[in-house]
Amino acid sequence: MQALGLFCLAIGVIFSIKERVYLMMWRSSTEPRQSNLSNAIAQLVGTAGGIYLSFELLLSFLKVPENWLNETGLIVEPLALFSLVLAIVQPFAIRAWIKIKK
């Protein structure tokens, strides 16, 4: 079951990076830059890290005990997994928002 979850997560990361590369193609300029793929990976990791830190600070501020999520039996931290899933979904939500606004 965990292997299936990790496989789905990996597929989600690949599709999210592909979508981020597509969105960045339209924002390119004439100055030399890093490749769109490296920017997309850095953006995905940065977004997931920012979401994770925000959740950690929120839980710390609310004084929620740290062990309330650790009893799930997952091999990854649930809060980090949730942050990564939100970061994976973000570019698809942006594309949907752009289509809705048109």
Side-chain angles (χ1 to χ4, degrees), residues 81-100:
L81 178 66
F82 182 67
S83 301
L84 186 58
V85 168
L86 284 179
I88 288 171
V89 171
Q90 182 208 16
F92 302 108
I94 290 172
R95 179 181 267 195
W97 181 257
I98 290 171
K99 286 186 178 186
I100 289 172

Side-chain angles (χ1 to χ4, degrees), residues 46-101:
T47 302
I51 293 170
Y52 176 76
L53 288 176
S54 298
F55 282 139
E56 279 289 326
L57 289 173
L58 178 67
L59 294 177
S60 173
F61 177 74
L62 296 175
K63 296 187 181 182
V64 176
E66 291 186 21
N67 61 355
W68 75 281
L69 281 175
N70 292 341
E71 299 171 4
T72 59
L74 296 173
I75 57 174
V76 296
E77 185 179 345
L79 193 58
L81 178 66
F82 182 67
S83 301
L84 186 58
V85 168
L86 284 179
I88 288 171
V89 171
Q90 182 208 16
F92 302 108
I94 290 172
R95 179 181 267 195
W97 181 257
I98 290 171
K99 286 186 178 186
I100 289 172
K101 286 186 80 171

Side-chain angles (χ1 to χ4, degrees), residues 16-60:
S16 180
I17 289 172
K18 182 181 175 192
E19 184 68 22
R20 288 171 190 272
V21 167
Y22 177 77
L23 289 173
M24 280 192 277
M25 280 187 339
W26 302 107
R27 294 187 230 155
S28 63
S29 64
T30 58
E31 63 188 42
R33 299 184 322 154
Q34 296 175 348
S35 73
N36 285 340
L37 178 62
S38 66
N39 283 337
I41 293 171
Q43 192 180 58
L44 174 67
V45 172
T47 302
I51 293 170
Y52 176 76
L53 288 176
S54 298
F55 282 139
E56 279 289 326
L57 289 173
L58 178 67
L59 294 177
S60 173

